[in-house]
Amino acid sequence: MEPPPTSEKARTLRFKPSGYEVEIPGSVVARAKQNGSGMMDDGELRCLAGVVLAFPWRPEAIVVEIGSYAGTTAAFVAETLAEAGHDNPVLSIDPFERVSGSRLNPQGRYRRYLKTMRSRGLQDRCHALVGYSHDVAAVVADRVGVLIIDGNHELESVARDLALYAPKVLPGGFILLDDH
């Protein structure tokens, strides 16, 4: 994969109602444009980059992504962290081929996830936990800096993921919900 162009202008993301602001570098804006898709568009990726850059990362903190599909979002997060000087791991939770896809919930592909990580040199930073989020919650550490809930988009599943994983988010951490 080619590196994104760096000619994009930096953008400021403002959180409401707190008024907190974070600057998103032009290189991250360009990477968001390059990685945007029907799964998560470039505007959503810029918001995700904003929360990733806003969290005060400590070495023990992790990113947890529920619902990975092909790993593009996890790779984007890991690259954004690396550019900011952080090497925190990204844990992607997805049942991949264990579940049939639907219009609201496309089926992830484990081999595509692995290929994405290898092609971007992220196989040591991004890790897949193959299973349903509710089945594997007990093994996920209580040190989540950013939680991305983008798995099963049905209300009951999103509510269950929030109930199981929100208590694992560190103080000052962020929860991003996509397509709920």
Side-chain angles (χ1 to χ4, degrees), residues 83-100:
E83 185 175 327
H86 306 292
D87 61 357
N88 302 75
V90 178
L91 175 64
S92 300
I93 301 169
D94 197 300
F96 294 105
E97 289 84 3
R98 295 177 62 196
V99 65
S100 296

Side-chain angles (χ1 to χ4, degrees), residues 47-57 63 77 80-81 86 146 148 174:
C47 288
L48 177 55
V51 299
V52 166
L53 294 171
F55 182 71
W57 290 98
V63 175
V77 168
T80 300
L81 281 168
H86 306 292
V146 173
I148 306 161
F174 292 90

Side-chain angles (χ1 to χ4, degrees), residues 17-30:
S18 70
Y20 183 82
E21 294 183 0
V22 62
E23 184 82 10
I24 302 170
S27 57
V28 175
V29 172

Side-chain angles (χ1 to χ4, degrees), residues 5-113:
T6 57
S7 61
E8 292 292 327
K9 187 173 131 183
R11 303 225 178 143
T12 300
L13 179 67
R14 289 177 186 81
F15 293 88
K16 294 179 183 177
S18 70
Y20 183 82
E21 294 183 0
V22 62
E23 184 82 10
I24 302 170
S27 57
V28 175
V29 172
R31 194 168 40 259
K33 190 176 281 188
Q34 183 181 26
N35 285 270
S37 71
M39 302 302 286
M40 195 173 282
D41 66 33
D42 67 315
E44 292 168 314
L45 288 173
R46 285 193 312 271
C47 288
L48 177 55
V51 299
V52 166
L53 294 171
F55 182 71
W57 290 98
R58 302 187 299 264
E60 72 277 4
I62 63 173
V63 175
V64 172
E65 170 195 41
I66 299 173
S68 187
Y69 189 62
T72 306
T73 301
F76 174 81
V77 168
E79 290 165 345
T80 300
L81 281 168
E83 185 175 327
H86 306 292
D87 61 357
N88 302 75
V90 178
L91 175 64
S92 300
I93 301 169
D94 197 300
F96 294 105
E97 289 84 3
R98 295 177 62 196
V99 65
S100 296
S102 69
R103 185 182 66 77
L104 285 176
N105 299 300
Q107 181 185 43
R109 300 275 187 230
Y110 183 64
R111 291 178 85 160
R112 267 183 83 189
Y113 179 93

Side-chain angles (χ1 to χ4, degrees), residues 124-148:
D124 294 332
R125 300 267 319 274
C126 297
H127 310 282
L129 180 54
V130 180
Y132 295 97
S133 57
H134 59 275
D135 289 337
V136 301
V139 301
V140 176
D142 293 347
R143 52 189 175 94
V144 178
V146 173
L147 171 63
I148 306 161

